[in-house]
Amino acid sequence: MAGMTVAQMIGLFVEPNAPLRVEAFDGSVFGRADAPICIKVNNSRAVYYMVDHPNELGLARAYLQGDISSPQMIPGDPYEVFKDLVNVKPYFHQPDPVGVAKALASVASHGIRHPKAPSIEGPSRLRRAAEGLLPHSKAGDAATVSYHYDQSNDFYRLILGPTMTYTCAVFNKPTDTLEAAQEAKLNLVLDKLGLKAGDRLLDIGCGWGSMEVVAARRGIHVIGVTLADEQVAWGKEWIKREGLEDFAEIRLMDYRDVPEAGFDGICSLGMMEHVGVKNYPSYFREIFDKLKPNGMLLNHQITRINSHAGHAAGEFIDRYIFPDGQLASPGEIEMNIQDTGFEVIHEENLRQHYALTLHHWNRNLVDHWNEAVKLVGEPKARLWGLYMAGCAYNFEMNNIQIHQYLCVKPNEEGTDTYPLRPWWVHQA
């Protein structure tokens, strides 16, 4: 770049003693040779991406396209590089406005360019709204859920393993296999709900059908609903292969359109992130109305650590992972549940379990990297490696959590018919 080198531009924002080295396509170098992390800026498009979006979105676009790279990077599991980059944050400083103006002039001297976003990037919130896909409307939910889940089922199988369970596993010990931990989580949910053979369960956001299979094996009659065609196809075939059609059913259906009621239990595992905080009251009311008196709800969702952090995800998550996704604090969620009329009788945070789950998923992606790239292309495979590693770090640092709420719908005599000391309450 005429006027300023890439290294000089980096120096506008980062202290020279930062634990970072940057090697750029123009031959310039920033940082010390023994820095723990080296970032290579491979071409000018990376610079233009950052000028257009000087935030996580610009950085993500450049990484997914291969415009920036690192010799330390393992694309299927960039966890260590992610941690090293987080350690650079204290060395950032406010740039000199004159220096920023000079840098922009240097870039502009080569022409004003706005490189196309990667083909895997989803539309912005504004564009979705312009197309009539309003956040958390039925049409909007169908479109955004399809964007995330209607990928290659074979790709998800590489990451999730044979259980095809895309929520937090529960580990009795760190050495448990992912498959054992996912089965333990599904059984934990059913045990908390207290369901027995002959009971009726509604699974909202059922994914590929793992809960349906496990519940049906117990003789529980279960209906699962999802908005993703690929999940329905996979789940129906799985149920048929297991010979469980008399007990389990998966539908392509919005939870608001389920006509049945009088369920003994309802579970929602990893679905609330799509609902939208403003819709929590109507969501829990819908569930309340579908349960019989003394029926049970198990609500399992990712949360923010407090109510002051806002709800909306960043631009990167919105464009690439969960369009319109929102997270609330544990207190906000419990308040909405209680205000609906439920009694919350048990709650627990499984944060550490989700971090360990994500590490397993990243290892699966590393082990099947070449196959994953063939299935979805390298940018998409890079995206999932980055997303999962970043989530693992944020769970470990307690920036996000995941909570299970077990709730009971009172009957005319209250909720005292529920067991006084259920088995899952730890004895003193």
Side-chain angles (χ1 to χ4, degrees):
M1 296 287 179
M4 290 188 75
T5 66
V6 172
Q8 289 170 331
M9 294 178 190
I10 298 292
L12 291 172
F13 300 90
V14 185
E15 299 290 343
N17 63 333
L20 171 71
R21 180 177 176 84
V22 178
E23 299 175 358
F25 64 94
D26 62 359
S28 63
V29 176
F30 172 88
R32 62 182 197 262
D34 64 343
I37 178 68
C38 176
I39 299 297
K40 295 190 174 185
V41 182
N42 297 321
N43 54 50
S44 62
R45 185 170 61 177
V47 178
Y48 285 106
Y49 273 142
M50 291 305 301
V51 169
D52 275 355
H53 293 275
N55 54 23
E56 62 181 17
L57 182 61
L59 195 62
R61 285 176 171 178
Y63 170 68
L64 297 177
Q65 297 284 72
D67 299 335
I68 60 174
S69 59
S70 170
Q72 289 88 23
M73 180 75 75
I74 301 172
D77 188 6
Y79 174 80
E80 294 299 333
V81 169
F82 190 94
K83 282 206 308 182
D84 287 339
L85 288 175
V86 170
N87 292 335
V88 176
K89 291 181 71 173
Y91 295 87
F92 276 78
H93 60 253
Q94 283 291 110
D96 172 24
V98 174
V100 172
K102 184 178 178 182
L104 291 174
S106 297
V107 175
S109 69
H110 291 264
I112 304 299
R113 304 177 193 174
H114 301 284
K116 289 183 178 181
S119 61
I120 62 171
E121 183 174 305
S124 66
R125 293 185 181 98
L126 184 62
R127 181 178 162 190
R128 295 197 298 268
E131 294 175 352
L133 301 176
L134 299 178
H136 311 300
S137 64
K138 287 185 179 180
D141 284 348
T144 55
V145 168
S146 178
Y147 171 80
H148 185 80
Y149 294 104
D150 282 335
Q151 312 291 335
S152 163
N153 281 336
D154 288 333
F155 174 69
Y156 277 109
R157 179 182 53 80
L158 295 179
I159 295 173
L160 303 179
T163 66
M164 288 294 279
T165 305
Y166 187 32
T167 56
C168 169
V170 174
F171 295 82
N172 291 315
K173 55 185 182 302
T175 55
D176 285 351
T177 66
L178 177 62
E179 292 72 30
Q182 287 290 16
E183 186 172 354
K185 185 274 300 294
L186 296 170
N187 282 313
L188 175 66
V189 169
L190 294 173
D191 289 341
K192 281 184 174 182
L193 288 170
L195 297 176
K196 59 187 182 300
D199 284 346
R200 298 171 63 235
L201 170 67
L202 174 63
D203 181 14
I204 299 176
C206 65
W208 288 269
S210 59
M211 174 58 79
E212 284 59 46
V213 169
V214 172
R217 287 172 179 165
R218 291 187 176 202
I220 297 166
H221 295 275
V222 55
I223 297 172
V225 294
T226 175
L227 296 175
D229 293 273
E230 293 288 327
Q231 291 182 334
V232 171
W234 180 282
K236 284 185 173 180
E237 175 58 32
W238 192 358
I239 290 168
K240 182 178 179 181
R241 189 169 62 250
E242 295 275 344
L244 298 171
E245 299 101 315
D246 291 341
F247 292 93
E249 177 186 358
I250 291 181
R251 301 174 184 171
L252 184 69
M253 180 178 285
D254 191 290
Y255 70 92
R256 289 162 283 198
D257 295 330
V258 174
E260 291 90 347
F263 290 98
D264 299 283
I266 296 178
C267 62
S268 175
L269 310 180
M271 187 271 187
M272 283 290 290
E273 297 85 348
H274 299 287
V275 168
V277 174
K278 71 176 183 178
N279 294 324
Y280 282 6
S282 60
Y283 178 80
F284 286 116
R285 171 55 62 182
E286 190 82 34
I287 292 174
F288 191 89
D289 291 343
K290 291 185 188 304
L291 282 169
K292 64 171 56 173
N294 276 142
M296 307 292 295
L297 163 67
L298 191 290
N299 186 66
H300 167 117
Q301 71 183 95
I302 299 172
T303 65
R304 295 193 184 279
I305 59 172
N306 60 59
S307 58
H308 304 295
H311 300 123
E315 201 169 6
F316 165 69
I317 293 294
D318 186 74
R319 295 282 190 98
Y320 284 96
I321 306 296
F322 290 117
D324 296 329
Q326 290 188 328
L327 302 180
S329 70
E332 290 176 285
I333 296 162
E334 183 161 351
M335 178 183 68
N336 276 281
I337 295 173
Q338 299 270 24
D339 287 350
T340 304
F342 283 107
E343 179 182 358
V344 178
I345 57 175
H346 187 262
E347 180 273 331
E348 66 177 319
N349 178 11
L350 297 171
R351 174 185 62 80
Q352 295 160 301
H353 295 265
Y354 214 153
L356 190 51
T357 303
L358 285 153
H359 284 307
H360 276 277
W361 290 344
N362 272 121
R363 282 197 291 272
N364 285 345
L365 182 55
V366 171
D367 290 344
H368 300 95
W369 178 255
N370 291 336
E371 189 176 351
V373 169
K374 288 180 181 178
L375 286 169
V376 298
E378 186 163 352
K380 177 75 77 173
R382 280 173 171 260
L383 169 65
W384 278 84
L386 178 65
Y387 161 61
M388 294 188 298
C391 286
Y393 176 83
N394 279 293
F395 277 114
E396 288 177 349
M397 297 303 294
N398 195 33
N399 295 325
I400 50 176
Q401 302 172 342
I402 185 159
H403 287 254
Q404 284 191 351
Y405 300 85
L406 181 64
C407 322
V408 59
K409 175 181 177 177
N411 64 14
E412 293 179 356
E413 299 177 353
T415 59
D416 286 351
T417 57
Y418 193 79
L420 195 61
R421 292 289 293 176
W423 71 269
W424 42 263
V425 174
H426 297 296
Q427 301 295 324

